[in-house]
Amino acid sequence: VKSKVVGVVGGMGPAATVEFLARLVRATPAEREEEHLHILIDSDPAIPSRTEAILRGGPSPASRLCSIARGLERAGAQLLAMPCNTAHAYLAPMRAAVEIPILDMVAETAARVDAGPVGLLATEAAVRAELYGKAFASRGIRVLPLCPDDQAEVCQLIASVKSGEQLEALRPRLRRIVERLERDGARAVVIGCTEISLLHDSGSRLLAIDALDGLVEATVREARRGDR
Amino acid sequence: VKSKVVGVVGGMGPAATVEFLARLVRATPAEREEEHLHILIDSDPAIPSRTEAILRGGPSPASRLCSIARGLERAGAQLLAMPCNTAHAYLAPMRAAVEIPILDMVAETAARVDAGPVGLLATEAAVRAELYGKAFASRGIRVLPLCPDDQAEVCQLIASVKSGEQLEALRPRLRRIVERLERDGARAVVIGCTEISLLHDSGSRLLAIDALDGLVEATVREARRGDR
């Protein structure tokens, strides 16, 4: 039995897709080149904005996401991963569009949290769509809301990462938000946006659960399920 | 006019493909997500070994490389890039297999060298196939051969990078080879293997021409040709 061919619905944003691939290669138990996973990636930065669609009624990305998923399936993918938390608002139509499984980054990540309350660093759209809210509510874990200023700051940081700003200069701004979450009683913080995964460093004492790592682990696990 | 969709023939090795993508994202002039390039990647680590085929008569990777190129073309790629120097020994059959252009990493890199003699860090197979040798000979630039021990050491370093060893521990071994090239009169060193691109640091005084950067620049240039 060989590992499954992994398809990646990417480009949201491009740097986050690259970081996902980098962590996936590092996390794959492989001593030789051919033991790595076969990965097909469609990194399409022109997928309509998830944030615009959810917050301001902009064009929905659903049909483009479904078409990318079908294209990857047609090209031979046997399992799909999508390194963008907010795009998981469209997971249901995507799953209906293909025969192959699509990993749920939000569910995989929420399952890694043992106890609340948790802080959540995510787009305003992901918060509004209650992606993590629902996943945690079903397990009785409370999410501490960010104050409006901090949520706006998180959105600005995400935009800055997407526009290619230097990460080092942005990190102190994220650190201050994490410190406030810790003072407010958070037991952990969920890095629920792939751009924030690029930005977060492990300098804080607060336990960080990174959704990008959750997706990486799930991808390796499911791709190799049944391997011998 | 939109940028061309870029297809990447990848997986040789997986970490080098990720490094290519990371540099490509950084090198793309884009202030917003949608200004990045649309990239399709087939990262297949099970492509038959180029080195085994060229040095020891192992199975040829040509048919698999052609099939990946055709698959990317079918999926919508309008331009192909292949971040593996040694695989360029199969560029001619690949070009015959598709209608779309395939960038020539070796030619792009050789064109960046102004004067010799140059040192070359490449696989034994790439040296034997004279990929850079021919490109430089046509321009009257002399390539300094590595001594057999140093060439064997370069091959070992490449294998170590492919097997996921820590880069920091390997770097001093590469640095010693570069220093010997400098003492032998090299005016520049060509990083002609993508695994060595991961390993090389700019600590040495000798001018380094990195083939991975040559391919990145050519990809951005050709993908955006005709953009407005």
Side-chain angles (χ1 to χ4, degrees), chain B residues 154-222:
Chain B
V154 166
C155 292
Q156 276 191 9
L157 288 170
I158 293 168
S160 297
V161 171
K162 281 185 192 271
S163 73
E165 283 184 38
Q166 288 295 316
L167 301 180
E168 281 312 319
L170 300 170
R171 287 204 167 103
R173 291 166 57 188
L174 184 66
R175 213 171 295 133
R176 280 192 290 272
I177 296 172
V178 173
E179 283 164 6
R180 267 194 292 277
L181 279 170
E182 192 178 1
R183 276 200 302 275
D184 290 350
R187 306 257 308 261
V189 58
V190 169
I191 316 291
C193 172
T194 49
E195 273 68 38
I196 300 292
S197 299
L198 288 167
L199 209 52
H200 183 262
D201 56 25
S202 39
S204 118
R205 284 170 308 173
L206 189 59
L207 174 69
I209 312 283
D210 189 335
L212 201 54
D213 290 329
L215 185 62
V216 164
E217 281 194 21
T219 303
V220 172
R221 181 189 74 221
E222 294 303 316

Side-chain angles (χ1 to χ4, degrees), chain A residues 66 69-70 73-74 77-80 93-102:
Chain A
C66 291
R70 278 190 298 260
E73 181 179 44
R74 206 162 41 231
Q78 298 166 300
L79 170 70
L80 295 181
M94 292 177 71
R95 282 180 162 171
V98 292
E99 308 277 328
I100 55 179
I102 308 182

Side-chain angles (χ1 to χ4, degrees), chain B residues 87-134:
Chain B
H88 279 66
Y90 306 94
L91 188 59
M94 292 177 71
R95 282 181 162 168
V98 292
E99 307 278 327
I100 55 179
I102 308 182
L103 295 169
D104 183 340
M105 185 186 208
V106 173
E108 295 286 347
T109 304
R112 293 156 71 101
V113 177
D114 287 327
V118 293
L120 172 63
L121 303 175
T123 63
E124 173 79 31
V127 172
R128 193 81 67 83
E130 295 195 297
L131 295 179
Y132 280 97
K134 285 175 195 160

Side-chain angles (χ1 to χ4, degrees), chain A residues 19-223:
Chain A
E19 180 68 15
F20 172 70
L21 296 171
R23 295 189 192 185
L24 188 56
V25 169
R26 281 201 299 270
T28 304
E31 301 215 329
R32 293 181 311 161
E33 187 163 299
E34 61 269 32
E35 292 165 2
H36 277 275
L37 298 174
H38 185 178
I39 313 174
L40 303 171
I41 304 117
D42 188 340
S43 182
D44 182 357
I47 297 169
S49 162
R50 290 65 65 197
T51 287
E52 290 299 318
I54 293 170
L55 295 186
R56 293 181 276 279
S60 168
S63 70
R64 183 77 197 115
L65 289 169
C66 291
S67 136
I68 290 172
R70 278 190 298 260
L72 289 166
E73 181 179 44
R74 206 162 41 231
Q78 298 166 300
L79 170 70
L80 295 181
M82 180 164 63
C84 172
N85 290 272
T86 311
H88 279 66
Y90 305 94
L91 188 60
M94 292 177 71
R95 282 180 162 171
V98 292
E99 308 277 328
I100 55 179
I102 308 182
L103 294 170
D104 183 341
M105 183 186 210
V106 173
E108 294 287 347
T109 305
R112 292 157 72 101
V113 177
D114 288 327
V118 293
L120 172 64
L121 303 175
T123 63
E124 173 80 31
V127 172
R128 193 82 68 83
E130 294 195 298
L131 296 179
Y132 280 97
K134 284 175 194 160
F136 282 125
S138 71
R139 299 185 50 219
I141 291 174
R142 190 160 64 92
V143 177
L144 286 181
L146 291 184
C147 67
D149 280 359
D150 278 358
Q151 180 61 54
E153 174 86 339
V154 167
C155 292
Q156 275 191 11
L157 288 169
I158 293 167
S160 297
V161 172
K162 280 184 192 274
S163 72
E165 283 185 37
Q166 287 295 315
L167 301 180
E168 280 313 318
L170 300 171
R171 288 204 165 103
R173 291 166 57 189
L174 184 66
R175 214 171 294 135
R176 280 192 290 273
I177 297 172
V178 173
E179 283 164 6
R180 267 194 291 278
L181 279 169
E182 191 178 1
R183 278 200 301 275
D184 291 350
R187 306 257 307 261
V189 59
V190 169
I191 316 292
C193 171
T194 49
E195 272 68 38
I196 300 293
S197 299
L198 288 167
L199 209 51
H200 183 263
D201 55 26
S202 40
S204 120
R205 285 170 307 173
L206 188 59
L207 174 70
I209 312 285
D210 189 336
L212 202 54
D213 290 328
L215 185 62
V216 165
E217 282 195 20
T219 303
V220 173
R221 182 189 73 222
E222 294 302 317

